[in-house]
Amino acid sequence: MTSRTARYKDDDLAGEPPSTADNAALDDTTSVEKLFEAKPVPPWTKQLTVRAIFVSAVLAFAFTFIVMKLNLTTGIIPSLNVSAGLLGFFFVKTWSKVLAQTGLLRTPFTRQENTVIQTCVVAASGIAFSGGFGSYLFGMSSIIANQSPEAAAAADIKNPSLGWMIAFLFVVSFLGLFSVLPLRKIMIVDFRLTYPSGTATANLINGFHTPEGAELAKKQVSKLGRFFSMSFLWSFFQWFFTAGDDCGFSSFPTFGLQAYKNKFYFDFSATYVGVGMICPYIINVSLLIGGILSWGVMWPLIANKKGDWYDAKLKSSSLEGLQGYKVFIAIAMILGDGLYNFVKVLARTLSGLYKQCYKKDSDVGPTDDSSHGHPPSISYDDKRRTELFLKDQIPTWFSIAGYVIIAAISTITLPFIFHQLKWYYIIVIYIIAPALAFCNAFGCGLTDWSLASTYGKLAIFCIGAWAGSDGGGVLAGLAACGVMMNIVSTASDLMQDFKTGYMTLASPRSMFVSQVVGTAMGCIISPCVFWLFYKAFGNLGSPDSQYPAPYALVYRNMAILGVDGFSALPRYCLTLCCAFFVGAIVINLIRDMVGNKYARFIPIPMAMAIPFYIGSYFAIDMCLGSLILFIWEKVNKENAEAFGSAVASGLICGDGIWTLPSSIIALAGVKPPICMKFLSRATNAKVDAFLG
C-alpha cells in the first residue's frame, strides 16, 4: 500500500525509484479498472468540489509549516504525497459519513476527488521549497549577507517583505505549468513514462477506494493520529525547558560535551526521526558519514591551523576562517554531485527520447493502430485510462497564450521587484526555460529525479556573471535562480500529477485546475508562514539559531563565486574544494559502474555534503529512525510496510504543526519558564562558587 521510497526536494536527493507494476502486463483478472467498472467517472467539473478545495486549503496550511520548518533547519524535505493522499481521504471520508447520517450527502467521495486534493496540497506546499525561503530568496537578506566574507553592497541585499514576496511568486510560479502542458499526451500516453512517485501515489489512492484499502487506510489514519498527538505533546513539553540559548532537550550532550561541541548529539527531534523512517537507508548513512568526515576529522584538523591558514582573530562565523572551509567545501560537493547527475539525467533523457521517437517511427505500418488513440497491444486498464485521459482536451493555443501572457507580465513586473534583474535577462530565461522544463519533466519521468535546483544554480552563475559586480550580480543571480527553479520544478510536478490522474481516471482539466489553485494557495500561504517564522524567531538564519537556513548561505556564496570568482576563499580552500568536487563525481561514477547490488553500500556525495556546514545532530536522529524501521521490518515486515509511512508522517506532522503555536507564543512575548543546560564539572564548580 505504501512505499518507503520518496522524492526529495533538497538538491535532488533521490533514492532508488519505487518499483511499480507495468499495467500493460496485467491481465483482466488483475485489472485495477475492473474493480471500479461499476462506478461512473464524474465529469471534470464534479471532481473539483468545494469540500476538496476546503480540505486542500487546510492541509496546505499545515503542510507548509512542516516544509518550512524542514527548509529552515536542514533543507531535507521528503515526499509528502502519501501523507497528503491519506489525510485527504480521511477528512473527506469523515465529512461524507457525517453528512450521510444527516441525509445531506449529495456527492459521494471518489478517487478522482482524492487525487484533486492530493495534487492541490502538494502544489501548495511545494511553493515553500521552490519559493526559496530556505535558499535563494532568504539568501538575499542582510542577515545572510553579513555572514559572507566581504561587505555586501546595497545593490546585493533585499530584505524579506510580505508584499514583494507574494508578488514575485505570483508572476513566476505559473509559467512552468503552461510550458509543458501541450506535451502531456506525448509524455504520458505515447512515451508511457513511469513517473515513479506519481505512479506510487496513484496506486495508493486506488487502494484507498477498494473495500480492503479503505479498512487499511482507516487503521493507518488511526496510527498517524496517535503518533501525531505524541509528537505534538512531546514538542510542547520540550518548550518549557528552552528559556535561553543552548537550553532544553535539543541541546542534550548525548555523547559527552566534547562531542556536543562538534555537533554530535541526539536532539530529540521527532521530525527527523520520522524523516529517517521515510528516507532510504543509504541517505541516512551518507549523512552520518559526511558528519563524521567533516566534524569528526576535517574541521578539528583545520582548526589546528588557526593562525597559519587563516587569521586567528577572525570571528567563528567569518567565511574567511574555518566557517569558509565548511561552506565552500560543501558547495563544491553539491556542485560536483549536481553536475554529474545533470549530465547523467540529460544523457538518459536524450537517449530515451531518441529511442521513443525511433520506436514510434518503426511502429508505423499497415498494422499500426495508433489512430484509434492507443498503441496496438494494450491492456484493459490502459485502454480505459487512455480513453478518459484524451477525452477532456486542453487546447494548445491556451497553453501558448497562457505562457506568453504570463511571461510578458512577469518581464514587466520583475524589474520593479529586483531592479538588478534586467528585462533582457528575463526574456533570455523565458526563451530557454521551456526546453529545460521539458528535459526536467522527461528526466523525472525516467528516473524520478527532479533537477530543479541544479537548473537554478546554472542560472545563478550565468546571470550573475552576465550582470557583474557593478550591476548587482549577486542579487540578479539569486533572483534568476528563483525564476528558473519555479518553472522547471512546477513543470515536473505537473507531469507527475498528470500520471497520477491518468491512473485514477482524473481528468487532465481537473488536475490542471487543482494544480493552478494549489499554486495560488502556495503563493499566499508560504510567504505568510515564512513571515511568521521571520518575525517570531529573531535570530533566524544565524549559524547558531534553531533555524539556521543553511542553504541560504550556500546559495548566496554560489552567487558571489559566480560574480567575483575565487578571490574570497581562505588559504588552501580552493585546493580542497577542487578535490571534493572531483571526489563527488568519482564516487557517483563508481556507484553507477558497480550496479545496484553494490551501489547501496556507497554513500551519496550530495547527502554527505549537508552536515559539512550544520553538523551531524539531525543525521543521528534520522539514523535512529532508520534503525527503528529496520528492527520493525525484522520483527513484522508486513506490519512495518503497512504502517511505517503513517507513523513517520505522524511524527513529522505533530512536531511540524507545533511550530504554529510556538511562533504565536514567541510573537506574544511569552518566554519558557525553565532553562535546562548542561555544564562540565569544572564549569559547574565555577558557577557554584560565583553564586556563593
Side-chain angles (χ1 to χ4, degrees):
M1 179 67 67
T2 58
S3 172
R4 173 170 165 73
T5 309
R7 281 188 302 142
Y8 300 92
K9 293 291 188 184
D10 164 67
D11 286 278
D12 325 310
L13 279 182
E16 295 299 324
S19 59
T20 54
D22 184 358
N23 288 323
L26 293 172
D27 56 31
D28 286 346
T29 60
T30 57
S31 168
V32 173
E33 297 308 328
K34 285 281 186 183
L35 297 173
F36 296 99
E37 196 172 22
K39 296 181 179 180
V41 178
W44 73 273
T45 52
K46 299 293 185 182
Q47 296 171 20
L48 294 161
T49 62
V50 174
R51 68 185 176 196
I53 302 301
F54 176 78
V55 169
S56 297
V58 173
L59 291 178
F61 185 73
F63 277 46
T64 298
F65 263 95
I66 295 165
V67 173
M68 195 67 70
K69 178 177 180 178
L70 295 171
N71 229 348
L72 295 171
T73 48
T74 64
I76 301 176
I77 305 168
S79 173
L80 297 173
N81 293 29
V82 170
S83 304
L86 183 62
L87 289 174
F89 174 82
F90 167 71
F91 279 121
V92 180
K93 204 71 175 175
T94 304
W95 184 331
S96 300
K97 185 178 290 186
V98 171
L99 289 180
Q101 291 175 348
T102 60
L104 298 175
L105 181 64
R106 297 180 180 178
T107 307
F109 182 42
T110 63
R111 55 186 175 139
Q112 290 79 27
E113 188 179 355
N114 203 159
T115 305
V116 165
I117 293 171
Q118 183 270 333
T119 298
C120 195
V121 173
V122 173
S125 59
I127 298 294
F129 162 73
S130 60
F133 300 101
S135 55
Y136 66 84
L137 189 144
F138 193 34
M140 302 175 184
S141 67
S142 58
I143 295 173
I144 303 301
N146 291 336
Q147 299 174 41
S148 296
E150 54 190 45
D156 288 326
I157 293 176
K158 190 171 184 67
N159 285 311
S161 173
L162 205 53
W164 74 256
M165 289 191 296
I166 292 174
F168 169 71
L169 291 176
F170 263 107
V171 295
V172 301
S173 296
F174 296 93
L175 280 157
L177 303 179
F178 290 93
S179 65
V180 294
L181 185 58
L183 305 176
R184 65 193 180 283
K185 178 180 178 294
I186 295 172
M187 301 279 211
I188 306 299
V189 178
D190 296 343
F191 290 170
R192 294 194 191 181
L193 296 179
T194 310
Y195 288 102
S197 288
T199 299
T201 304
N203 290 335
L204 185 77
I205 292 173
N206 284 333
F208 285 160
H209 291 267
T210 62
E212 300 83 2
E215 187 62 32
L216 177 60
K218 189 185 297 183
K219 294 177 181 177
Q220 289 174 328
V221 169
S222 174
K223 192 80 73 173
L224 187 151
R226 191 180 311 160
F227 280 87
F228 173 93
S229 302
M230 291 168 57
S231 176
F232 184 88
L233 292 173
W234 172 242
S235 299
F236 177 47
F237 175 74
Q238 288 188 81
W239 175 81
F240 285 95
F241 301 91
T242 56
D245 294 335
D246 299 324
C247 293
F249 287 91
S250 60
S251 300
F252 192 97
T254 323
F255 308 111
L257 288 169
Q258 188 58 44
Y260 174 78
K261 289 178 182 177
N262 286 332
K263 305 289 186 179
F264 282 96
Y265 58 94
F266 174 57
D267 72 345
F268 293 89
S269 169
T271 293
Y272 283 103
V273 173
V275 171
M277 294 178 69
I278 293 176
C279 291
Y281 296 126
I282 188 60
I283 294 287
N284 301 330
V285 173
S286 298
L287 289 166
L288 188 59
I289 291 172
I292 294 170
L293 175 63
S294 56
W295 290 86
V297 179
M298 290 175 57
W299 306 156
L301 290 176
I302 294 176
N304 291 334
K305 301 292 183 181
K306 182 189 292 186
D308 182 12
W309 286 18
Y310 59 92
D311 191 344
K313 297 178 182 178
L314 291 171
K315 294 181 180 179
S316 60
S317 60
S318 173
L319 287 178
E320 294 179 344
L322 180 59
Q323 189 79 344
Y325 295 94
K326 296 175 184 178
V327 172
F328 289 112
I329 292 175
I331 289 174
M333 290 188 72
I334 290 169
L335 291 177
D337 188 285
L339 177 64
Y340 178 86
N341 282 303
F342 172 73
V343 172
K344 183 178 79 170
V345 173
L346 183 62
R348 289 188 62 179
T349 299
L350 295 176
S351 172
L353 189 59
Y354 171 77
K355 288 177 182 177
Q356 292 286 357
C357 292
Y358 178 78
K359 180 182 176 183
K360 190 174 180 181
D361 290 341
S362 64
D363 284 343
V364 175
T367 60
D368 180 50
D369 196 33
S370 60
S371 61
H372 298 290
H374 53 80
S377 300
I378 194 167
S379 69
Y380 173 81
D381 281 3
D382 277 343
K383 284 179 184 177
R384 177 80 169 140
R385 290 166 177 171
T386 301
E387 175 189 350
L388 288 173
F389 190 75
L390 299 179
K391 180 182 175 184
D392 291 328
Q393 293 292 326
I394 302 174
T396 303
W397 66 263
F398 174 77
S399 308
I400 297 172
Y403 187 87
V404 171
I405 291 170
I406 296 175
I409 295 171
S410 179
T411 304
I412 295 169
T413 307
L414 283 175
F416 286 99
I417 301 174
F418 307 105
H419 64 84
Q420 300 86 345
L421 192 64
K422 305 302 182 185
W423 62 269
Y424 42 89
Y425 301 161
I426 302 167
I427 289 176
V428 170
I429 291 172
Y430 287 160
I431 291 172
I432 298 171
L436 299 182
F438 166 76
C439 290
N440 194 47
F442 192 94
C444 192
L446 292 174
T447 65
D448 213 31
W449 291 346
S450 173
L451 297 177
S453 55
T454 303
Y455 290 112
K457 296 183 189 96
L458 186 65
I460 287 179
F461 289 114
C462 293
I463 301 299
W466 187 1
S469 58
D470 295 335
V474 172
L475 200 64
L478 291 170
C481 171
V483 175
M484 185 65 77
M485 269 186 68
N486 275 281
I487 293 173
V488 297
S489 177
T490 52
S492 62
D493 288 348
L494 178 65
M495 282 299 162
Q496 288 274 10
D497 291 331
F498 274 144
K499 182 67 176 184
T500 303
Y502 172 80
M503 295 184 65
T504 59
L505 303 190
S507 167
R509 291 184 182 180
S510 66
M511 298 305 296
F512 179 74
V513 172
S514 65
Q515 185 86 22
V516 170
V517 171
T519 302
M521 287 180 184
C523 291
I524 297 172
I525 295 172
S526 290
C528 291
V529 170
F530 173 76
W531 192 247
L532 186 60
F533 275 84
Y534 186 67
K535 290 297 184 181
F537 305 102
N539 59 349
L540 185 75
S542 67
D544 299 323
S545 167
Q546 181 184 357
Y547 300 105
Y551 276 102
L553 184 61
V554 167
Y555 272 69
R556 184 173 186 89
N557 281 288
M558 285 182 188
I560 291 172
L561 287 177
V563 174
D564 297 336
F566 302 104
S567 59
L569 299 180
R571 191 179 183 188
Y572 298 121
C573 188
L574 179 58
T575 304
L576 290 169
C577 287
C578 291
F580 278 88
F581 178 87
V582 173
I585 294 174
V586 170
I587 291 172
N588 274 302
L589 186 61
I590 293 172
R591 281 177 54 84
D592 286 339
M593 290 176 64
V594 299
N596 291 335
K597 183 178 179 181
Y598 299 104
R600 58 197 179 103
F601 299 110
I602 301 174
I604 298 171
M606 185 75 72
M608 291 175 64
I610 298 172
F612 273 51
Y613 171 53
I614 57 176
S616 302
Y617 59 92
F618 72 95
I620 293 170
D621 299 344
M622 292 174 67
C623 284
L624 178 62
S626 279
L627 181 62
I628 291 170
L629 187 68
F630 179 78
I631 295 172
W632 191 0
E633 288 176 340
K634 290 296 181 184
V635 173
N636 190 334
K637 185 175 178 66
E638 185 177 344
N639 193 268
E641 288 179 349
F643 299 108
S645 293
V647 170
S649 298
L651 292 173
I652 294 170
C653 293
D655 191 25
I657 294 300
W658 164 249
T659 57
L660 174 58
S662 68
S663 301
I664 295 171
I665 290 170
L667 286 172
V670 179
K671 302 291 185 183
I674 305 167
C675 173
M676 184 174 71
K677 185 173 284 192
F678 300 88
L679 307 173
S680 66
R681 187 188 307 124
T683 304
N684 186 62
K686 291 178 182 178
V687 171
D688 286 345
F690 176 77
L691 295 175

PDB file of all heavy atoms in Angstrom, residues 577-599:
ATOM      1  N   CYS A 577      38.421  22.370  -2.238  1.00  0.00           N
ATOM      2  CA  CYS A 577      37.164  22.389  -2.987  1.00  0.00           C
ATOM      3  C   CYS A 577      37.284  21.586  -4.283  1.00  0.00           C
ATOM      4  O   CYS A 577      36.384  20.807  -4.624  1.00  0.00           O
ATOM      5  CB  CYS A 577      36.753  23.827  -3.311  1.00  0.00           C
ATOM      6  SG  CYS A 577      36.143  24.757  -1.891  1.00  0.00           S
ATOM      7  N   CYS A 578      38.378  21.777  -4.998  1.00  0.00           N
ATOM      8  CA  CYS A 578      38.598  21.027  -6.245  1.00  0.00           C
ATOM      9  C   CYS A 578      38.653  19.523  -5.976  1.00  0.00           C
ATOM     10  O   CYS A 578      38.087  18.718  -6.721  1.00  0.00           O
ATOM     11  CB  CYS A 578      39.889  21.485  -6.918  1.00  0.00           C
ATOM     12  SG  CYS A 578      39.819  23.164  -7.585  1.00  0.00           S
ATOM     13  N   ALA A 579      39.347  19.156  -4.888  1.00  0.00           N
ATOM     14  CA  ALA A 579      39.463  17.737  -4.538  1.00  0.00           C
ATOM     15  C   ALA A 579      38.091  17.133  -4.241  1.00  0.00           C
ATOM     16  O   ALA A 579      37.766  16.034  -4.712  1.00  0.00           O
ATOM     17  CB  ALA A 579      40.399  17.575  -3.340  1.00  0.00           C
ATOM     18  N   PHE A 580      37.271  17.844  -3.481  1.00  0.00           N
ATOM     19  CA  PHE A 580      35.954  17.310  -3.134  1.00  0.00           C
ATOM     20  C   PHE A 580      34.984  17.378  -4.311  1.00  0.00           C
ATOM     21  O   PHE A 580      34.095  16.534  -4.429  1.00  0.00           O
ATOM     22  CB  PHE A 580      35.386  18.050  -1.917  1.00  0.00           C
ATOM     23  CG  PHE A 580      35.906  17.526  -0.609  1.00  0.00           C
ATOM     24  CD1 PHE A 580      37.081  18.029  -0.062  1.00  0.00           C
ATOM     25  CD2 PHE A 580      35.249  16.519   0.063  1.00  0.00           C
ATOM     26  CE1 PHE A 580      37.574  17.542   1.140  1.00  0.00           C
ATOM     27  CE2 PHE A 580      35.733  16.019   1.259  1.00  0.00           C
ATOM     28  CZ  PHE A 580      36.904  16.525   1.801  1.00  0.00           C
ATOM     29  N   PHE A 581      35.141  18.367  -5.180  1.00  0.00           N
ATOM     30  CA  PHE A 581      34.332  18.447  -6.399  1.00  0.00           C
ATOM     31  C   PHE A 581      34.577  17.217  -7.274  1.00  0.00           C
ATOM     32  O   PHE A 581      33.642  16.536  -7.704  1.00  0.00           O
ATOM     33  CB  PHE A 581      34.676  19.724  -7.163  1.00  0.00           C
ATOM     34  CG  PHE A 581      33.939  19.895  -8.466  1.00  0.00           C
ATOM     35  CD1 PHE A 581      32.685  20.495  -8.491  1.00  0.00           C
ATOM     36  CD2 PHE A 581      34.497  19.472  -9.657  1.00  0.00           C
ATOM     37  CE1 PHE A 581      32.007  20.657  -9.686  1.00  0.00           C
ATOM     38  CE2 PHE A 581      33.829  19.625 -10.862  1.00  0.00           C
ATOM     39  CZ  PHE A 581      32.575  20.221 -10.870  1.00  0.00           C
ATOM     40  N   VAL A 582      35.873  16.917  -7.505  1.00  0.00           N
ATOM     41  CA  VAL A 582      36.235  15.743  -8.305  1.00  0.00           C
ATOM     42  C   VAL A 582      35.827  14.464  -7.576  1.00  0.00           C
ATOM     43  O   VAL A 582      35.331  13.510  -8.182  1.00  0.00           O
ATOM     44  CB  VAL A 582      37.753  15.740  -8.606  1.00  0.00           C
ATOM     45  CG1 VAL A 582      38.172  14.439  -9.293  1.00  0.00           C
ATOM     46  CG2 VAL A 582      38.114  16.941  -9.473  1.00  0.00           C
ATOM     47  N   GLY A 583      36.014  14.439  -6.249  1.00  0.00           N
ATOM     48  CA  GLY A 583      35.650  13.263  -5.464  1.00  0.00           C
ATOM     49  C   GLY A 583      34.174  12.936  -5.579  1.00  0.00           C
ATOM     50  O   GLY A 583      33.788  11.757  -5.668  1.00  0.00           O
ATOM     51  N   ALA A 584      33.323  13.973  -5.573  1.00  0.00           N
ATOM     52  CA  ALA A 584      31.879  13.748  -5.698  1.00  0.00           C
ATOM     53  C   ALA A 584      31.546  13.109  -7.042  1.00  0.00           C
ATOM     54  O   ALA A 584      30.713  12.188  -7.120  1.00  0.00           O
ATOM     55  CB  ALA A 584      31.133  15.075  -5.549  1.00  0.00           C
ATOM     56  N   ILE A 585      32.209  13.572  -8.097  1.00  0.00           N
ATOM     57  CA  ILE A 585      31.974  12.997  -9.431  1.00  0.00           C
ATOM     58  C   ILE A 585      32.444  11.549  -9.476  1.00  0.00           C
ATOM     59  O   ILE A 585      31.752  10.659  -9.993  1.00  0.00           O
ATOM     60  CB  ILE A 585      32.693  13.840 -10.501  1.00  0.00           C
ATOM     61  CG1 ILE A 585      32.059  15.236 -10.582  1.00  0.00           C
ATOM     62  CG2 ILE A 585      32.650  13.147 -11.858  1.00  0.00           C
ATOM     63  CD1 ILE A 585      32.776  16.202 -11.495  1.00  0.00           C
ATOM     64  N   VAL A 586      33.632  11.282  -8.918  1.00  0.00           N
ATOM     65  CA  VAL A 586      34.203   9.924  -8.946  1.00  0.00           C
ATOM     66  C   VAL A 586      33.318   8.956  -8.156  1.00  0.00           C
ATOM     67  O   VAL A 586      33.054   7.837  -8.610  1.00  0.00           O
ATOM     68  CB  VAL A 586      35.643   9.940  -8.377  1.00  0.00           C
ATOM     69  CG1 VAL A 586      36.156   8.514  -8.177  1.00  0.00           C
ATOM     70  CG2 VAL A 586      36.570  10.705  -9.317  1.00  0.00           C
ATOM     71  N   ILE A 587      32.859   9.375  -6.967  1.00  0.00           N
ATOM     72  CA  ILE A 587      32.001   8.495  -6.153  1.00  0.00           C
ATOM     73  C   ILE A 587      30.717   8.161  -6.907  1.00  0.00           C
ATOM     74  O   ILE A 587      30.273   6.997  -6.933  1.00  0.00           O
ATOM     75  CB  ILE A 587      31.683   9.152  -4.796  1.00  0.00           C
ATOM     76  CG1 ILE A 587      32.940   9.228  -3.936  1.00  0.00           C
ATOM     77  CG2 ILE A 587      30.605   8.367  -4.057  1.00  0.00           C
ATOM     78  CD1 ILE A 587      32.773  10.033  -2.655  1.00  0.00           C
ATOM     79  N   ASN A 588      30.105   9.155  -7.552  1.00  0.00           N
ATOM     80  CA  ASN A 588      28.894   8.897  -8.332  1.00  0.00           C
ATOM     81  C   ASN A 588      29.168   7.959  -9.499  1.00  0.00           C
ATOM     82  O   ASN A 588      28.354   7.082  -9.812  1.00  0.00           O
ATOM     83  CB  ASN A 588      28.317  10.215  -8.852  1.00  0.00           C
ATOM     84  CG  ASN A 588      27.398  10.892  -7.855  1.00  0.00           C
ATOM     85  OD1 ASN A 588      26.410  10.313  -7.418  1.00  0.00           O
ATOM     86  ND2 ASN A 588      27.719  12.112  -7.481  1.00  0.00           N
ATOM     87  N   LEU A 589      30.315   8.153 -10.141  1.00  0.00           N
ATOM     88  CA  LEU A 589      30.687   7.286 -11.266  1.00  0.00           C
ATOM     89  C   LEU A 589      30.853   5.846 -10.801  1.00  0.00           C
ATOM     90  O   LEU A 589      30.379   4.905 -11.453  1.00  0.00           O
ATOM     91  CB  LEU A 589      31.984   7.809 -11.898  1.00  0.00           C
ATOM     92  CG  LEU A 589      32.446   7.119 -13.188  1.00  0.00           C
ATOM     93  CD1 LEU A 589      31.392   7.291 -14.284  1.00  0.00           C
ATOM     94  CD2 LEU A 589      33.779   7.693 -13.647  1.00  0.00           C
ATOM     95  N   ILE A 590      31.512   5.666  -9.653  1.00  0.00           N
ATOM     96  CA  ILE A 590      31.693   4.317  -9.105  1.00  0.00           C
ATOM     97  C   ILE A 590      30.337   3.701  -8.762  1.00  0.00           C
ATOM     98  O   ILE A 590      30.093   2.513  -9.040  1.00  0.00           O
ATOM     99  CB  ILE A 590      32.604   4.362  -7.857  1.00  0.00           C
ATOM    100  CG1 ILE A 590      34.027   4.771  -8.256  1.00  0.00           C
ATOM    101  CG2 ILE A 590      32.623   3.012  -7.142  1.00  0.00           C
ATOM    102  CD1 ILE A 590      34.942   5.039  -7.074  1.00  0.00           C
ATOM    103  N   ARG A 591      29.458   4.497  -8.175  1.00  0.00           N
ATOM    104  CA  ARG A 591      28.115   3.989  -7.832  1.00  0.00           C
ATOM    105  C   ARG A 591      27.390   3.462  -9.064  1.00  0.00           C
ATOM    106  O   ARG A 591      26.725   2.422  -9.008  1.00  0.00           O
ATOM    107  CB  ARG A 591      27.278   5.105  -7.194  1.00  0.00           C
ATOM    108  CG  ARG A 591      27.572   5.365  -5.731  1.00  0.00           C
ATOM    109  CD  ARG A 591      26.741   6.544  -5.206  1.00  0.00           C
ATOM    110  NE  ARG A 591      25.335   6.361  -5.452  1.00  0.00           N
ATOM    111  CZ  ARG A 591      24.508   5.666  -4.664  1.00  0.00           C
ATOM    112  NH1 ARG A 591      24.971   5.104  -3.566  1.00  0.00           N
ATOM    113  NH2 ARG A 591      23.234   5.541  -4.968  1.00  0.00           N
ATOM    114  N   ASP A 592      27.519   4.168 -10.181  1.00  0.00           N
ATOM    115  CA  ASP A 592      26.837   3.732 -11.400  1.00  0.00           C
ATOM    116  C   ASP A 592      27.524   2.552 -12.064  1.00  0.00           C
ATOM    117  O   ASP A 592      26.871   1.727 -12.713  1.00  0.00           O
ATOM    118  CB  ASP A 592      26.738   4.904 -12.384  1.00  0.00           C
ATOM    119  CG  ASP A 592      25.699   5.929 -11.956  1.00  0.00           C
ATOM    120  OD1 ASP A 592      24.803   5.563 -11.171  1.00  0.00           O
ATOM    121  OD2 ASP A 592      25.791   7.092 -12.376  1.00  0.00           O
ATOM    122  N   MET A 593      28.844   2.454 -11.897  1.00  0.00           N
ATOM    123  CA  MET A 593      29.587   1.375 -12.556  1.00  0.00           C
ATOM    124  C   MET A 593      29.401   0.032 -11.852  1.00  0.00           C
ATOM    125  O   MET A 593      29.371  -1.016 -12.512  1.00  0.00           O
ATOM    126  CB  MET A 593      31.082   1.729 -12.619  1.00  0.00           C
ATOM    127  CG  MET A 593      31.412   2.856 -13.587  1.00  0.00           C
ATOM    128  SD  MET A 593      33.159   3.327 -13.556  1.00  0.00           S
ATOM    129  CE  MET A 593      33.935   1.819 -14.143  1.00  0.00           C
ATOM    130  N   VAL A 594      29.271   0.043 -10.532  1.00  0.00           N
ATOM    131  CA  VAL A 594      29.212  -1.236  -9.808  1.00  0.00           C
ATOM    132  C   VAL A 594      27.809  -1.834  -9.804  1.00  0.00           C
ATOM    133  O   VAL A 594      27.643  -3.005  -9.431  1.00  0.00           O
ATOM    134  CB  VAL A 594      29.699  -1.067  -8.347  1.00  0.00           C
ATOM    135  CG1 VAL A 594      31.135  -0.602  -8.321  1.00  0.00           C
ATOM    136  CG2 VAL A 594      28.810  -0.102  -7.563  1.00  0.00           C
ATOM    137  N   GLY A 595      26.793  -1.060 -10.201  1.00  0.00           N
ATOM    138  CA  GLY A 595      25.433  -1.590 -10.240  1.00  0.00           C
ATOM    139  C   GLY A 595      24.723  -1.471  -8.905  1.00  0.00           C
ATOM    140  O   GLY A 595      25.328  -1.189  -7.867  1.00  0.00           O
ATOM    141  N   ASN A 596      23.418  -1.714  -8.934  1.00  0.00           N
ATOM    142  CA  ASN A 596      22.588  -1.516  -7.737  1.00  0.00           C
ATOM    143  C   ASN A 596      22.970  -2.424  -6.582  1.00  0.00           C
ATOM    144  O   ASN A 596      22.772  -2.077  -5.412  1.00  0.00           O
ATOM    145  CB  ASN A 596      21.108  -1.744  -8.085  1.00  0.00           C
ATOM    146  CG  ASN A 596      20.567  -0.663  -8.993  1.00  0.00           C
ATOM    147  OD1 ASN A 596      21.075   0.451  -9.007  1.00  0.00           O
ATOM    148  ND2 ASN A 596      19.546  -0.989  -9.771  1.00  0.00           N
ATOM    149  N   LYS A 597      23.498  -3.608  -6.898  1.00  0.00           N
ATOM    150  CA  LYS A 597      23.824  -4.571  -5.844  1.00  0.00           C
ATOM    151  C   LYS A 597      24.830  -4.006  -4.860  1.00  0.00           C
ATOM    152  O   LYS A 597      24.728  -4.217  -3.643  1.00  0.00           O
ATOM    153  CB  LYS A 597      24.359  -5.853  -6.481  1.00  0.00           C
ATOM    154  CG  LYS A 597      24.676  -6.956  -5.476  1.00  0.00           C
ATOM    155  CD  LYS A 597      25.153  -8.219  -6.168  1.00  0.00           C
ATOM    156  CE  LYS A 597      25.489  -9.308  -5.150  1.00  0.00           C
ATOM    157  NZ  LYS A 597      25.987 -10.540  -5.816  1.00  0.00           N
ATOM    158  N   TYR A 598      25.830  -3.285  -5.373  1.00  0.00           N
ATOM    159  CA  TYR A 598      26.886  -2.738  -4.511  1.00  0.00           C
ATOM    160  C   TYR A 598      26.726  -1.232  -4.282  1.00  0.00           C
ATOM    161  O   TYR A 598      27.264  -0.688  -3.312  1.00  0.00           O
ATOM    162  CB  TYR A 598      28.260  -3.032  -5.118  1.00  0.00           C
ATOM    163  CG  TYR A 598      28.546  -4.508  -5.255  1.00  0.00           C
ATOM    164  CD1 TYR A 598      28.479  -5.140  -6.498  1.00  0.00           C
ATOM    165  CD2 TYR A 598      28.851  -5.279  -4.134  1.00  0.00           C
ATOM    166  CE1 TYR A 598      28.724  -6.497  -6.626  1.00  0.00           C
ATOM    167  CE2 TYR A 598      29.104  -6.648  -4.254  1.00  0.00           C
ATOM    168  CZ  TYR A 598      29.032  -7.245  -5.500  1.00  0.00           C
ATOM    169  OH  TYR A 598      29.267  -8.598  -5.612  1.00  0.00           O
ATOM    170  N   ALA A 599      26.004  -0.548  -5.174  1.00  0.00           N
ATOM    171  CA  ALA A 599      25.843   0.909  -5.040  1.00  0.00           C
ATOM    172  C   ALA A 599      25.128   1.275  -3.743  1.00  0.00           C
ATOM    173  O   ALA A 599      25.364   2.349  -3.183  1.00  0.00           O
ATOM    174  CB  ALA A 599      25.071   1.464  -6.234  1.00  0.00           C
TER     175      ALA A 599
END
